[in-house]
Amino acid sequence: MAGCDGGKSAGDAPRPAQSLGAFANQVEAAVTSPSCRPIDRLTTAGQLSIPCPRKFAGQRSAFRGFRVRGVEDYYTGGVIDFTDHQAPRGATWVTALDRQSRWTIVAAPILGHPTVGTKPADEAAFREAVDGFLEAVRDNDCGALQVFLAPPPNDIQGVPCQTRLLKFAELRVQLAEHPDAEPVSLGGNRQLFFYGLYTGTQYRTLPVIETGPGAVHPYQVLASLRAR
């Protein structure tokens, strides 16, 4: 569990301001609320912004029957499994802590099965993806970034790779200042695994997903979310 950047471990990670279970309850109340204000307030801070169904005719039934099915946290990352009209067999909200130590949603893959309670078959494959992503950022390598970084939600086709690399400029500087920094294993499940990255006083959560057949790479980093 120990990392090379100052001997940090998962136990040194920032603590959440509230439990992931409490956040899941807030999300459930927000998506079933007759008002758009709760869901707007909960989702605008993260990488993934969930549109309020009551604003868009084509999405008004999306959250019908919404129910949280399971919650599991891994220090600064976590999963909320749920079902609804759009995903009757199951989907997952991938979460991480922001700089205010609040949970925020970074991705919502429709997997068709639960993740809570499952175990990763082989962490090495997840580790290869997070190492590949960090190497791509260090080297400013567009080709490698496109292999190891999952397309962001609502991806716009044709965005130049260099534009996407600019998003990680701060991380690139910090990796250069801390060449021994390596991701710390936080734990995970069959579909998702979480890593923490210490670069001096900075800390980030890196969730990695098993993307499956058809993706550029079978395992990809979903986000790099700074918690401090």
Side-chain angles (χ1 to χ4, degrees):
M1 295 279 281
C4 292
D5 193 69
K8 297 289 188 179
S9 70
D12 298 307
R15 300 292 194 272
Q18 66 176 157
S19 71
L20 185 57
F23 175 70
N25 290 337
Q26 290 179 351
V27 173
E28 186 171 51
V31 300
T32 56
S33 169
S35 167
C36 286
R37 184 176 296 178
I39 192 170
D40 289 343
R41 186 172 60 248
L42 281 174
T43 64
T44 52
Q47 173 174 300
L48 178 64
S49 180
I50 300 173
C52 177
R54 285 160 289 286
K55 292 180 180 178
F56 304 95
Q59 297 183 9
R60 285 176 184 165
S61 65
F63 290 126
R64 191 174 68 224
F66 182 93
R67 183 178 176 186
V68 171
R69 298 292 181 174
V71 174
E72 194 162 5
D73 71 88
Y74 311 94
Y75 295 92
T76 57
V79 294
I80 301 172
D81 289 341
F82 67 91
T83 55
D84 61 12
H85 179 74
Q86 189 177 23
R89 298 182 64 184
T92 299
W93 274 333
V94 184
T95 67
L97 293 186
D98 65 12
R99 295 197 194 191
Q100 286 72 47
S101 295
R102 300 173 305 194
W103 293 106
T104 186
I105 300 169
V106 299
I110 298 177
L111 302 172
H113 57 77
T115 66
V116 173
T118 65
K119 301 296 182 184
D122 181 11
E123 188 198 337
F126 292 99
R127 180 72 187 218
E128 178 188 0
V130 75
D131 286 343
F133 163 75
L134 292 174
E135 191 67 22
V137 173
R138 282 189 178 99
D139 296 342
N140 209 32
D141 185 338
C142 268
L145 187 77
Q146 291 178 317
V147 170
F148 294 109
L149 178 68
N154 305 319
D155 186 32
I156 301 174
Q157 295 298 322
V159 174
C161 182
Q162 287 295 338
T163 301
R164 291 183 175 169
L165 273 171
L166 284 174
K167 181 180 178 182
F168 303 106
E170 181 188 47
L171 174 57
R172 185 177 307 110
V173 170
Q174 291 165 0
L175 287 171
E177 293 173 346
H178 301 272
D180 293 333
E182 292 186 2
V184 175
S185 173
L186 302 178
N189 52 56
R190 180 166 64 92
Q191 199 81 40
L192 293 143
F193 209 92
F194 295 83
Y195 294 90
L197 182 70
Y198 299 90
T199 49
T201 58
Q202 292 83 29
Y203 174 91
R204 289 174 173 80
T205 307
L206 305 168
V208 182
I209 189 169
E210 181 183 4
T211 55
V216 177
H217 191 273
Y219 295 83
Q220 293 180 314
V221 173
L222 284 171
S224 170
L225 193 67
R226 186 169 165 183
R228 69 174 181 222

